Amino acid sequence: MLVGDSSYQTVWMEGHSVKMIDQNALPFNFQIHECLSYWDTCMAITDMTVRGAGAIGAAAAFAMAQAFLEAPETDRELFLNDARDEIEGTRPTARNLFFAVERVFEAGQISTENAKIEAQRIALQDIEDCKSIGEYGNKLIKNHARILTHCNAGWLAFVDYGSALSPIYVAKKQGKEVFVYVDETRPRSQGAKLTAWELMQEGVPFTIIVDSVAASLMMEQKIDMVIVGADRIARNGDVANKIGTLDRAILAQSFGIPFYVAAPTTTFDMDCKSGKSIIIEERSQDEVLYQDGLDANGNTIKIMVCAPGSTAYNPAFDVTPAKYITGIITEKGIVKAHHQSIASFLKTTEDE
Ligand code: MRU
């Protein structure tokens, strides 16, 4: 990805440090956050300095590698098991985090160097997968398409390229005219803050809508397709994604609009029978009660946006049943959101 004239990844490891684009500072400030220890990296995942399924996965992989670098000679195993629990305890919903930690933990049983190599491999794989999602997804995008997306499943949510936005970037590079409706995505406004900023870097035309506008836009036939990301996909094709995805999917179906999920196959959790067993993260009510932004002088401020004394319920994700999903765009091709199709798709592509 290019920010200005410089090329970046969302998260990377340099020596013992993990570095990342500070997503809490965006879109007002572009700055790099450095995590000197695995614990720092855990904090950055928890407070969403780094966020988005693939970026969290890579950050967690790097955190596990950092833990191997930090592990003392004595009680090494205990230290590493505790570190693994702490990294896995940062955020519960995104599948990539758990898959990445497990792979680096296993690799580290051979050597610390091996843990580092595995973490880098996971990050590189994420980049390749997202690039390929772009190629497959682009085939679904017609010239002049008006696309709705929810939350941020762009390059900020991965190491590079993104999932839901990657096909849009490929379509644009191929000369297609595309227009993106960006759901604001309350409460943290990843759409209004991050997707909007990212699309601006890429020169893709867009406009931000509040989440409740989608229904009328669809009825007015102003949306041709929906593409969203995924945090975890159950083996029956149910998809956990940012809260608000479910209503977009129901709406799309009732207006006959294709609804696609874009995600690397690392997002599938074949141990998870259906969306019912996906753990949905509940975050602080402050994310709903307060908003942050810029004041008239350009200083970042936090303001209360509710009746003082109110409480708020803040689930971060919802589950979209498979029956609402037209198809899942992966790095290996497009698969129907159905348990048999997913099982045979994953088996065939694994054998290739
Ligand atoms: O809570 P976040 O911002 O980490 O949420 C994850 C997401 O960005 C979305 O749910 C996204 O659509 C899937 S992750 C590519």
Side-chain angles (χ1 to χ4, degrees):
M1 71 185 77
L2 277 180
V3 181
D5 291 333
S6 311
S7 146
Y8 283 94
Q9 288 186 185
T10 300
V11 55
W12 68 98
M13 191 167 181
E14 230 176 78
H16 286 211
S17 287
V18 177
K19 294 188 177 180
M20 56 191 64
I21 295 176
D22 183 342
Q23 300 197 42
N24 284 330
L26 287 174
F28 310 118
N29 295 302
F30 179 80
Q31 58 200 43
I32 303 304
H33 178 80
E34 181 171 7
C35 301
L36 298 172
S37 65
Y38 89 85
W39 182 247
D40 285 352
T41 309
C42 285
M43 291 297 100
I45 298 172
T46 306
D47 75 8
M48 294 176 66
T49 302
V50 62
R51 49 135 307 274
I56 292 172
F62 291 142
M64 197 67 245
Q66 281 178 304
F68 276 97
L69 287 163
E70 291 163 36
E73 291 282 313
T74 50
D75 291 333
R76 186 173 171 82
E77 210 181 310
L78 182 68
F79 178 93
L80 288 167
N81 281 321
D82 284 350
R84 179 180 178 162
D85 287 347
E86 276 154 356
I87 300 165
E88 289 183 338
T90 52
R91 295 197 67 194
T93 304
R95 163 75 186 137
N96 298 55
L97 185 148
F98 298 88
F99 133 88
V101 170
E102 183 175 352
R103 265 185 44 184
V104 178
F105 187 83
E106 292 307 325
Q109 303 310 313
I110 296 169
S111 70
T112 296
E113 190 53 27
N114 208 39
K116 274 174 63 184
I117 292 170
E118 190 62 15
Q120 298 288 8
R121 199 177 282 147
I122 287 168
L124 282 177
Q125 188 64 51
D126 179 271
I127 298 173
E128 288 308 312
D129 289 352
C130 286
K131 195 171 175 198
S132 175
I133 286 171
E135 305 293 335
Y136 281 109
N138 167 51
K139 296 183 187 151
L140 302 167
I141 300 179
K142 299 197 176 94
N143 197 13
H144 301 293
R146 296 152 306 172
I147 304 167
L148 175 72
T149 193
H150 189 67
C151 194
N152 174 267
W155 38 255
L156 287 168
F158 288 86
V159 182
D160 204 347
Y161 295 101
S163 57
L165 299 187
S166 184
I168 295 172
Y169 297 146
V170 175
K172 170 150 191 302
K173 281 198 186 90
Q174 291 199 350
K176 292 181 195 169
E177 287 198 25
V178 284
F179 185 84
V180 184
Y181 284 103
V182 176
D183 278 335
E184 180 191 32
T185 325
R186 278 275 283 151
R188 290 188 66 101
S189 306
Q190 289 98 325
K193 288 182 171 165
L194 303 178
T195 298
W197 181 83
E198 207 186 293
L199 292 174
M200 230 176 259
Q201 307 306 309
E202 295 285 335
V204 175
F206 70 92
T207 196
I208 298 167
I209 54 172
V210 299
D211 297 349
S212 43
V213 171
S216 56
L217 272 181
M218 286 187 188
M219 196 164 75
E220 290 161 16
Q221 300 186 329
K222 289 187 177 152
I223 291 176
D224 300 305
M225 68 191 300
V226 183
I227 315 181
V228 299
D231 293 274
R232 194 180 289 249
I233 304 175
R235 70 168 185 251
N236 71 341
D238 290 352
V239 168
N241 193 50
K242 184 53 54 186
I243 191 79
T245 302
L246 171 61
D247 35 315
R248 262 110 272 272
I250 297 170
L251 285 169
Q253 190 171 79
S254 70
F255 287 109
I257 296 166
F259 181 94
Y260 286 98
V261 170
T265 51
T266 47
T267 317
F268 286 94
D269 181 353
M270 297 308 273
D271 293 331
C272 183
K273 203 168 152 212
S274 80
K276 286 197 184 105
S277 30
I278 298 177
I279 297 171
I280 300 295
E281 177 181 11
E282 197 179 323
R283 293 188 61 87
S284 162
Q285 59 175 348
D286 284 0
E287 291 182 350
V288 178
L289 303 177
Y290 296 87
Q291 289 289 285
D292 47 34
L294 285 190
D295 70 9
N297 300 318
N299 302 312
T300 45
I301 50 160
K302 203 176 200 50
I303 54 164
M304 183 176 250
V305 289
C306 65
S310 304
T311 58
Y313 168 53
N314 186 18
F317 303 94
D318 58 25
V319 172
T320 299
K323 65 179 179 184
Y324 295 111
I325 299 165
T326 311
I328 305 174
I329 309 164
T330 77
E331 78 280 10
K332 294 172 174 171
I334 299 168
V335 61
K336 264 176 74 178
H338 179 267
H339 70 277
Q340 272 157 359
S341 313
I342 292 172
S344 60
F345 174 78
L346 291 180
K347 193 171 172 344
T348 328
T349 50
E350 212 174 73
D351 295 345
E352 277 166 8

